[in-house]
Amino acid sequence: RDEPSPRMVELQRRHTKLVEVHSTGKLTLMDLKDHNEFLAVLTRQLSDEGEQMKRKFSIATAKQQRSHDPKRANMYGAQATALKRREKRYNNEIAMAKFEVDWLHNSPAYHQAMEFLKENWVKTSKGDFVSKKDLEDDIAVGFDDLLSSFKEEQENGMDEGGGGGLI
């Protein structure tokens, strides 16, 4: 009766896979990124679910107290009781997700990956990562070189029938 939810089964499956891949020495930055993103989505889902449960519980208990019909009062009371039972499972899922996030973020592989990112990549304002080497290569190209390459591309486009115009 108290089986883990499908998302907790998936969490355990992903954890086991990550540990297995690490033990073979084939853990990649992409593996860590995928697991971290999974945990971020899971954490967001759990947070949203918790807010919904709180709201539903508050509504059910308020309706129970305001109801003059005993049958309706019992129905709202049953809803509140069911939500309280779900709360235990929810709290267990929160604890498991928090444990997994802490485990990942405190692992040596994660720290190594973060150092690699800091040394070799820059995060843009949009949240994307750009290679520092690519940025250095782009900076090394002078403005005149860049302008002449644009002109050359435009001329080649016109020669190939692109026209470059609106007509």
Side-chain angles (χ1 to χ4, degrees), residues 54-73:
K54 283 180 194 174
R55 194 177 114 269
K56 287 179 180 180
F57 181 78
S58 295
I59 290 170
T61 55
K63 285 183 175 183
Q64 179 186 19
Q65 291 171 353
R66 291 187 184 133
S67 179
H68 297 295
D69 180 5
K71 286 183 181 178
R72 283 191 179 252

Side-chain angles (χ1 to χ4, degrees), residues 29 111-121:
L29 186 60
H111 286 285
Q112 186 178 0
M114 292 298 103
E115 283 303 313
F116 176 80
L117 285 175
K118 285 178 190 174
E119 290 174 15
N120 298 295
W121 297 81

Side-chain angles (χ1 to χ4, degrees), residues 52-102:
Q52 284 182 328
M53 284 175 54
K54 283 180 194 174
R55 194 177 114 269
K56 287 179 180 180
F57 181 78
S58 295
I59 290 170
T61 55
K63 285 183 175 183
Q64 179 186 19
Q65 291 171 353
R66 291 187 184 133
S67 179
H68 297 295
D69 180 5
K71 286 183 181 178
R72 283 191 179 252
N74 286 339
M75 180 185 73
Y76 294 130
Q79 287 176 358
T81 303
L83 286 165
K84 274 296 197 188
R85 280 194 307 266
R86 278 185 36 208
E87 182 183 32
K88 181 181 178 190
R89 180 181 205 141
Y90 170 79
N91 287 339
N92 287 338
E93 289 184 4
I94 289 286
M96 287 176 70
K98 184 180 178 340
F99 182 84
E100 185 69 10
V101 168
D102 290 346

